[in-house]
Amino acid sequence: MSEFALRGAIYSLIGDPFFEAPADCVVYEADGLIWIRDGRIEAVGDYGALRQQMPDEVSIHHYPDSILLPGFIDAHIHYPQVEIIGAYGTQLLEWLNKYTFPAEARFNDPAHAQRIAEFFIAELQRNGTTAASVFCTSAPGSVDAIFEAAQKDNMLLLAGVMMMDSHAPANILDTAQSSYDASKTLIERWHKRGRCLYTVTPRFALTSSPQQLELAGALMREHADVRLQSHISENRAEVARAAELYPQRANYTDIYDHYGLLDERAIYGHAIHLSEGELRRFHETGAKIAHCPTSNFFIGSGLFDIARTRHAARPVTVGLGTDVGGGTSFSMLQTMSEAYKMAQLRGISVTAAQSYYLATLGSAQALGIDDRVGKLQPGYAADIAVLDPRATPLLALRADVAESIDELLFALMICADDRAVKATYVAGELVHDRDN
Ligand code: GUN
Ligand code: ZN
């Protein structure tokens, strides 16, 4: 049995601050203790009180002046696109053709896939991200590579082979049948192995034939607890093309709905240009959205409307994704910052609690993993990010005048990045230590 405890300020969302009063959904301990046993949280509380209950022999690692948060959860990221992050000058469809598809073709080589997968997992950890929903390529070996890399550190990772049989270069196309067969094999191999979870992954309607979407639906029916991830309504030219390819369908959402791809296990990236009727359908079916602001700004896709999407009359669950390499940073802090600015452009000021919710519990709910991660509470995995609010001279100056934890966390998400991640724990193991 391995047992230890972490001491520091503790901040964790346990409810949804878009709908509940902050006092009801935030747990904050100025001097807190997290008691960890065999990779799970045994107890969380005020240091003075919990110290009394914990056996004396349990060692305590103290992070004075640091904030312990649940590890960040990236609801949408592409590991094969790491090398093309920050590619100049295009919008979605041209960006895919010019940069993304050639980069993904390199993953037909398993050695390349392994090298980038290992880099990618380390980079997540450097950013305090402890779980992620990851897009691979159409090469089944790209899925083995990322799950193998994740498994080395016992990371909770959702991933699946990219299904794409149309309108892309031949060297990254599958067929409807081969993608179905590969998905099945990979589900058998990886789903629920360690902390790996399989996600059926049709890229988007533009690169899948009706037959392929039909088979993606079959995979979802045949495997009750695998997830589904895809893209929807990111860019206006994409929306128009989807309508051309599927003229019989009422709208973009209806394409996925028609093939049985819209339910509570599904999460769609972007969803910027959805109509009211489409959002209502997301709400009715329980399908989720991954909001990816750094990508939306960078590729020039549009301004996601968080207030409209989460409207109390028909709320849709939203998680936060970096969408690297369309997105420009692995940092969920930077991603929260850009989400804040995007909402500001629509006249909404997202609060610190709402932002950290999106990056932790919200993403967990959007991925159907909120029964095990996203909160610091007993029984949950000890997936923890340790943030140093004084990581740079500027941050230290700012922290000195912060009058509340909310003010401090807000300034941190606006101004900080990976330098503020002092340590990352995955299932109770230290996987990143900034200073050592
Ligand atoms: N839509 C379909 N594929 C992609 C992708 O790889 N990145 C982004 N941002 N949007 C997509
Ligand atoms: Zn994406």
Side-chain angles (χ1 to χ4, degrees), residues 315-372:
V316 178
T317 301
V318 175
L320 198 61
T322 62
D323 194 33
V324 164
T328 52
S329 173
F330 272 77
S331 171
M332 291 293 281
L333 295 166
Q334 285 290 294
T335 306
M336 286 185 256
S337 177
E338 300 305 300
Y340 176 83
K341 294 170 198 168
M342 192 170 284
Q344 283 283 78
L345 289 172
R346 290 191 172 275
I348 300 289
S349 305
V350 177
T351 66
Q354 289 169 338
S355 303
Y356 284 84
Y357 160 82
L358 288 173
T360 57
L361 182 57
S363 281
Q365 289 169 341
L367 297 170
I369 52 176
D370 53 309
D371 57 346
R372 63 203 87 168

Side-chain angles (χ1 to χ4, degrees), residues 280-295:
R280 192 169 320 112
R281 195 64 193 135
F282 266 75
H283 171 75
E284 285 164 3
T285 58
K288 317 294 198 292
I289 288 171
H291 172 31
C292 305
T294 75
S295 170

Side-chain angles (χ1 to χ4, degrees), residues 76-78 81 92 95-96 135 162 203 230-231 234 269-270 292 295 299 322-327:
H76 184 120
I77 184 165
H78 298 250
Q81 298 175 10
L92 179 64
W95 177 83
L96 287 171
F135 287 74
M162 191 86 100
R203 176 170 219 126
S230 188
H231 297 86
E234 174 178 4
H270 308 295
C292 305
S295 170
I299 316 186
T322 62
D323 194 33
V324 164

Side-chain angles (χ1 to χ4, degrees), residues 38-330:
D38 290 338
R40 282 180 198 281
I41 297 173
E42 178 73 14
V44 182
D46 168 66
Y47 171 77
L50 186 53
R51 181 80 195 82
Q52 307 300 317
Q53 296 168 29
M54 211 171 62
D56 284 344
E57 62 272 18
V58 178
S59 67
I60 298 174
H61 190 93
H62 192 189
Y63 288 105
D65 303 322
S66 292
I67 307 166
L68 310 177
L69 292 156
F72 296 122
I73 301 175
D74 191 334
H76 184 120
I77 184 165
H78 298 250
Y79 98 85
Q81 298 175 10
V82 179
E83 287 176 299
I84 54 145
I85 193 167
Y88 175 75
T90 56
Q91 300 216 344
L92 179 64
L93 301 180
E94 190 189 351
W95 177 83
L96 287 171
N97 283 311
K98 186 170 175 182
Y99 299 113
T100 312
F101 293 156
E104 293 189 8
R106 292 201 284 277
F107 286 70
N108 295 340
D109 171 8
H112 180 71
Q114 185 187 343
R115 183 171 71 83
I116 301 296
E118 283 171 6
F119 175 90
F120 175 85
I121 294 293
E123 192 64 19
L124 290 178
Q125 295 169 353
R126 288 187 56 259
N127 281 277
T129 299
T130 51
S133 192
V134 181
F135 287 74
C136 303
T137 72
S138 55
S142 72
V143 182
D144 292 322
I146 196 67
F147 277 137
E148 274 161 17
Q151 221 185 14
K152 282 184 191 158
D153 284 334
N154 208 6
M155 289 265 289
L156 196 171
L157 204 96
L158 304 100
V161 75
M162 191 86 100
M163 304 172 76
M164 49 187 298
D165 67 351
S166 325
H167 310 299
N171 60 356
I172 52 168
L173 286 184
D174 51 27
T175 67
Q177 190 62 46
S178 74
S179 70
Y180 173 85
D181 294 343
S183 300
K184 272 235 160 316
T185 304
L186 290 162
I187 289 169
E188 297 305 322
R189 187 176 303 153
W190 289 109
H191 187 52
K192 294 186 168 172
R193 180 160 154 197
R195 301 180 79 198
C196 302
L197 294 171
Y198 197 83
T199 300
V200 173
T201 309
R203 176 170 219 126
F204 65 159
L206 274 62
T207 49
S208 281
S209 64
Q211 295 81 349
Q212 187 165 56
L213 294 184
E214 185 77 49
L215 287 178
L219 288 166
M220 295 306 288
R221 284 193 301 280
E222 290 158 8
H223 302 276
D225 58 359
V226 301
R227 277 61 167 178
L228 179 134
Q229 62 183 352
S230 188
H231 297 86
I232 195 167
S233 212
E234 174 178 4
N235 162 290
R236 296 230 182 251
E238 171 211 4
V239 177
R241 185 81 182 118
E244 279 169 20
L245 289 169
Y246 288 87
Q248 20 349 18
R249 305 273 63 92
N251 51 52
Y252 202 160
T253 300
D254 190 44
I255 300 173
Y256 296 128
D257 204 2
H258 178 77
Y259 292 102
L261 306 179
L262 209 67
D263 67 14
E264 63 289 337
R265 294 179 287 156
I267 181 165
Y268 287 87
H270 308 295
I272 298 169
H273 307 290
L274 295 183
S275 65
E276 177 57 31
E278 290 179 279
L279 282 171
R280 192 169 320 112
R281 195 64 193 135
F282 266 75
H283 171 75
E284 285 164 3
T285 58
K288 317 294 198 292
I289 288 171
H291 172 31
C292 305
T294 75
S295 170
N296 301 159
F297 278 128
F298 181 68
I299 316 186
S301 302
L303 303 180
F304 178 75
D305 190 338
I306 185 90
R308 176 168 166 258
T309 308
R310 305 229 67 214
H311 196 283
R314 43 124 197 79
V316 178
T317 301
V318 175
L320 198 61
T322 62
D323 194 33
V324 164
T328 52
S329 173
F330 272 77

